[in-house]
Amino acid sequence: MIVPTPSDGAVAYILKMYPRFSETFILSEILELERQGLDVRVFSLKLPNDGRFHADVARVRAPVSYLPPSVLANARAFAAPHWQVFNWNRRRYLRLLFRTFRRRRWGAVKRFMQAGYIAPRLKAEGITHVHAHFASSATSVAHHLHQLAGTSYSFTAHAKDIYIDGVAEDVLKRKMHHARFVVTVSDYNQVHLATISDDTPVTRIYNGLDLDHFSPNGAHPDAPPLILAVGRLVEKKGFDDLIQACAILRDQGASFRCHIVGTGPEERKLRNLIATLDLDGMVSLPGPMPREELIRLYPRASVVAAPCVIGADGNRDGLPTVLIEAMALGVPVISTAVTGIPELVQHQRTGLS
């Protein structure tokens, strides 16, 4: 991760929601930055709603500030900090406010209001750089902070935030143009972003792991063999293909179990498919698991499957962290040649694809 050195003072992380159960890569990044001595502050645009948390969240030292959940319902909370920002440079504030309202999108107004709420806090704490994850709402707030207060910013682009059909390339280009730098998680993404804007440095940094936790621990695969998949239950994960593949294995007489760990909007659809294919007892959806439980579960698997696909709306995975975790623990992996996955899973060398 490329960020200002600790001598530059604290760095603020702007996140849509923190902590988020599925975004272990952000948790790992913050922990590593703190280990290296960086003073991190977290600003979360939304309260967490997952209901479960990874144990490593307790290791994070960074203070977390949650913004008021509604701009309209909490108008008074936003008024005072915006009055401060207005008085820093009235002409600039009014110009940016007019430009924001001219877009006629409530989302843009909301991000402007959130930026104005955060800006005085950054100034009071001497924070001059912010980093956002995902090129969507969090980066929009970082971009507004840059315009309102001159704060430099950077962001990490992942997948949905740059590929889904609703992404406006002109908006993404503008965010890239004003950023100090951009990070992304695969060479595939780096090439894609270079086609949108070539005037801002884009650095590829693969999601990292703490190898003190993710290393072979002597556990052995279960019998009968366990096929393990982990991820949000959404179209781009391709779990319906995995379930249909399990039906083929069953029909060929194979003995196995399959766990698909996670939660998401496609859960009912996947359960119905399991029932339709008469795979109850062989394929299960045990729900989400904290990372510490997954570390114990991975080595029991004979293979970790990530059957990723490109969704109908263009949504896709960047480079699934589950594959990195499984390989670090010495578990064989099988995946598809989508986006950056071939950079990690090289067919018949580091896995199957």
Side-chain angles (χ1 to χ4, degrees):
M1 179 68 216
I2 303 174
V3 293
T5 62
S7 62
D8 292 326
V11 171
Y13 262 52
I14 309 295
L15 305 173
K16 182 177 181 181
M17 180 189 294
Y18 176 86
R20 199 164 201 166
F21 200 75
S22 62
E23 294 175 358
T24 56
F25 46 88
I26 296 178
L27 174 60
S28 296
E29 181 173 296
I30 292 173
L31 286 170
E32 176 58 21
L33 290 175
E34 291 186 331
R35 188 191 70 80
Q36 293 187 26
L38 196 68
D39 185 7
V40 178
R41 314 293 169 84
V42 175
F43 289 85
S44 178
L45 306 183
K46 298 176 66 175
L47 292 168
N49 61 7
D50 291 319
R52 302 186 69 178
F53 303 97
H54 301 287
D56 278 346
V57 171
R59 295 172 53 209
V60 173
R61 299 190 301 271
V64 182
S65 299
Y66 292 100
L67 273 65
S70 170
V71 173
L72 295 178
N74 303 98
R76 287 188 178 183
F78 284 89
H82 268 268
W83 179 248
Q84 287 183 256
V85 178
F86 172 70
N87 283 305
W88 292 346
N89 187 322
R90 297 185 177 189
R91 181 176 296 178
R92 178 179 63 188
Y93 182 93
L94 292 173
R95 182 179 69 250
L96 295 172
L97 181 64
F98 174 73
R99 185 187 302 165
T100 301
F101 273 95
R102 192 173 58 185
R103 294 178 62 188
R104 297 182 180 180
R105 291 183 58 249
W106 170 243
V109 175
K110 184 176 182 179
R111 304 313 166 203
F112 175 85
M113 296 299 293
Q114 290 171 327
Y117 181 89
I118 295 171
R121 288 280 303 276
L122 300 184
K123 186 173 183 178
E125 297 183 35
I127 298 173
T128 59
H129 185 82
V130 301
H131 185 79
H133 266 276
F134 295 93
S136 45
S137 57
T139 298
S140 293
V141 172
H143 182 235
H144 282 304
L145 279 167
H146 172 68
Q147 295 179 307
L148 285 169
T151 310
S152 67
Y153 74 95
S154 52
F155 66 91
T156 299
H158 292 270
K160 177 180 180 179
D161 51 322
I162 57 176
Y163 292 119
I164 198 168
D165 289 345
V167 172
E169 287 199 357
D170 60 327
V171 175
L172 179 55
K173 182 176 182 177
R174 184 164 60 247
K175 292 175 182 177
M176 292 178 66
H177 174 73
H178 290 283
R180 180 170 171 182
F181 60 86
V182 177
V183 176
T184 194
V185 299
S186 69
D187 291 335
Y188 183 97
N189 285 1
Q190 187 179 35
V191 170
H192 173 73
L193 290 169
T195 67
I196 296 173
S197 177
D198 60 2
D199 60 355
T200 298
V202 179
T203 302
R204 185 269 295 145
I205 302 178
Y206 292 125
N207 289 335
L209 296 176
D210 183 347
L211 295 181
D212 288 338
H213 297 298
F214 287 91
S215 57
N217 56 22
H220 298 287
D222 287 0
L226 171 64
I227 301 169
L228 178 63
V230 182
R232 293 192 67 237
L233 306 184
V234 293
E235 181 189 12
K236 69 178 181 179
K237 297 296 184 181
F239 291 143
D240 53 342
D241 289 339
L242 176 58
I243 292 169
Q244 293 182 59
C246 286
I248 295 173
L249 287 175
R250 187 268 318 275
D251 294 344
Q252 292 177 346
S255 176
F256 68 94
R257 293 176 303 122
C258 176
H259 291 342
I260 302 175
V261 176
T263 187
E266 294 224 328
E267 180 173 347
R268 176 175 292 183
K269 174 184 173 182
L270 295 175
R271 290 193 183 280
N272 288 341
L273 182 60
I274 291 168
T276 298
L277 297 175
D278 197 23
L279 288 169
D280 292 306
M282 300 185 77
V283 179
S284 66
L285 302 177
M289 289 186 186
R291 187 159 60 170
E292 53 272 17
E293 289 184 26
L294 281 172
I295 290 174
R296 294 191 293 269
L297 180 60
Y298 276 126
R300 293 172 49 195
S302 293
V303 65
V304 167
C308 304
V309 299
I310 297 176
D313 60 357
N315 194 8
R316 64 198 77 179
D317 261 315
L319 207 168
T321 304
V322 60
L323 292 171
I324 303 172
E325 293 176 343
M327 293 172 75
L329 287 163
V331 182
V333 297
I334 182 168
S335 190
T336 51
V338 171
T339 59
I341 293 174
E343 297 167 41
L344 182 68
V345 182
Q346 300 169 19
H347 185 57
Q348 295 186 337
R349 292 186 61 198
T350 61
L352 298 178
S353 65

